[in-house]
Amino acid sequence: MRNIGTDSSTCANVNKNVASGRKTNDVDAITATNVDVSAGTGGEESAVLVNVGGRGDAIVFSNEVESVPSLDEESDDDDDEDSWNSESEDEEEDVDEEFDELLAERLRILADCRALKNLAEAFLHPEQPVKAIPTTFGRNYFDRPSAPAVMDDEDADEEAEILEDVENLKKAARAYLHPEVGVRVEDTTLFGRNYFERPSAPEVETFEEAEERAKILAEAATLKKLAVDYMHPEVGVRKVDGEMFGRNYFNRYSAPETEEDEFADERAEILAEAAAFKKSAVAYLHP
């Protein structure tokens, strides 16, 4: 029996996961272990087992090393890289969804554990007082068990209308069956009357008609006065109002001409500039 021993393999850049078609750049040291050659026939050496370091998920033999693609051939692996990228994106999305579901399930489990812990503490330590929120002792006055039944607004209004109709029908039936009962006055205001709308009241005009009537009478008085002045010129002019003889001091015929505010301001600016120029000229000519 001849033992070969352990030699370093000459097969470099072997993929970790050759079966899945994935390529990784962090290739560990590859060791080759020679098997016993006595098992072979005719004294020929058997295939050498190649073991990849690290995870060791790829096992290749020496006679298959030639068929393993090299990592240096990037052009042959472009399609594999594209498919791997798409698969990795889908896997990331699946991982995110699984993580969200796992987180929600974890929160539910923690809540159940907290509730069970509180229950166990209350069971094992009955001497401890019960802790409760003060608002749990409050109650609604209208929703208490002993509260009377409450109707909605629509139902209450409809019930009131029905009761009013029944009362009126009862009153009408009693008046029909007992005519000997006199008429009872329930409201003293029924005997009152409106002073302006009584049958003997004079006819009243509306506000618009009253205004129109006043305008017509004023125009008639003006026309009458004009006709009297035209028919009797011997009658002198009568002074009606003393203010008619007044005059405006600023608009009289002998008043000086006045300027507007804009023209007055502009005139003042021009005079100020002229005075400044004059002062400058005097200073220049008489140093």
Side-chain angles (χ1 to χ4, degrees):
M1 179 174 65
R2 184 166 58 91
N3 294 329
I4 304 301
T6 304
D7 297 331
S8 60
S9 176
T10 58
C11 299
N13 299 330
V14 180
N15 295 336
K16 283 186 176 181
N17 192 2
V18 177
S20 62
R22 295 183 181 177
K23 179 183 70 173
T24 56
N25 294 328
D26 52 346
V27 181
D28 298 332
I30 304 175
T31 60
T33 303
N34 294 338
V35 298
D36 190 5
V37 297
S38 62
T41 59
E44 296 179 358
E45 295 181 358
S46 61
V48 178
L49 176 63
V50 178
N51 185 16
V52 180
R55 293 174 55 189
D57 56 352
I59 299 174
V60 230
F61 293 92
S62 60
N63 56 356
E64 297 178 354
V65 171
E66 300 296 334
S67 62
V68 177
S70 177
L71 296 176
D72 298 333
E73 298 177 357
E74 299 291 339
S75 60
D76 296 339
D77 297 337
D78 292 339
D79 297 337
D80 295 339
E81 290 180 358
D82 296 337
S83 61
W84 182 78
N85 292 330
S86 61
E87 291 177 357
S88 63
E89 292 178 357
D90 296 338
E91 290 178 358
E92 289 178 358
E93 293 179 357
D94 296 339
V95 168
D96 294 337
E97 293 179 357
E98 293 177 358
F99 178 75
D100 295 338
E101 295 178 357
L102 181 62
L103 182 60
E105 184 67 22
R106 182 171 178 271
L107 294 176
R108 287 195 294 268
I109 293 172
L110 291 176
D112 294 339
C113 293
R114 192 178 296 107
L116 292 174
K117 178 183 177 182
N118 295 333
L119 182 62
E121 289 180 356
F123 181 78
L124 294 175
H125 300 281
E127 69 278 0
Q128 294 182 357
V130 178
K131 298 179 181 179
I133 303 174
T135 55
T136 57
F137 296 97
R139 63 174 183 173
N140 191 351
Y141 177 79
F142 300 98
D143 293 339
R144 68 187 190 279
S146 60
V150 181
M151 294 187 300
D152 297 336
D153 293 338
E154 297 179 357
D155 298 337
D157 295 339
E158 186 175 0
E159 182 182 0
E161 293 178 358
I162 293 173
L163 293 176
E164 185 178 0
D165 293 340
V166 171
E167 186 68 23
N168 294 332
L169 291 174
K170 178 182 177 182
K171 184 178 179 180
R174 182 179 299 173
Y176 180 79
L177 294 175
H178 300 281
E180 68 279 0
V181 179
V183 178
R184 297 178 182 178
V185 177
E186 298 179 357
D187 192 0
T188 56
T189 58
L190 296 174
F191 296 95
R193 60 176 182 173
N194 190 351
Y195 177 80
F196 301 99
E197 295 180 357
R198 67 186 189 278
S200 59
E203 186 178 357
V204 181
E205 296 178 342
T206 60
F207 185 74
E208 296 178 356
E209 294 176 352
E211 288 185 348
E212 187 69 20
R213 181 171 177 274
K215 291 179 181 179
I216 294 173
L217 293 177
E219 292 178 358
T222 304
L223 291 175
K224 178 183 178 181
K225 183 179 179 181
L226 181 60
V228 169
D229 294 338
Y230 181 78
M231 297 297 296
H232 301 280
E234 67 277 2
V235 179
V237 178
R238 299 177 181 176
K239 183 176 68 173
V240 178
D241 192 357
E243 296 179 357
M244 296 177 62
F245 298 95
R247 60 177 181 174
N248 189 351
Y249 176 78
F250 300 98
N251 293 333
R252 69 187 190 277
Y253 294 101
S254 59
E257 185 178 359
T258 57
E259 294 178 342
E260 296 181 357
D261 293 338
E262 297 179 359
F263 295 124
D265 295 338
E266 186 176 1
R267 181 172 176 273
E269 292 177 0
I270 293 172
L271 291 176
E273 292 177 359
F277 283 135
K278 179 181 179 181
K279 184 177 179 180
S280 177
V282 170
Y284 179 78
L285 292 175
H286 302 283

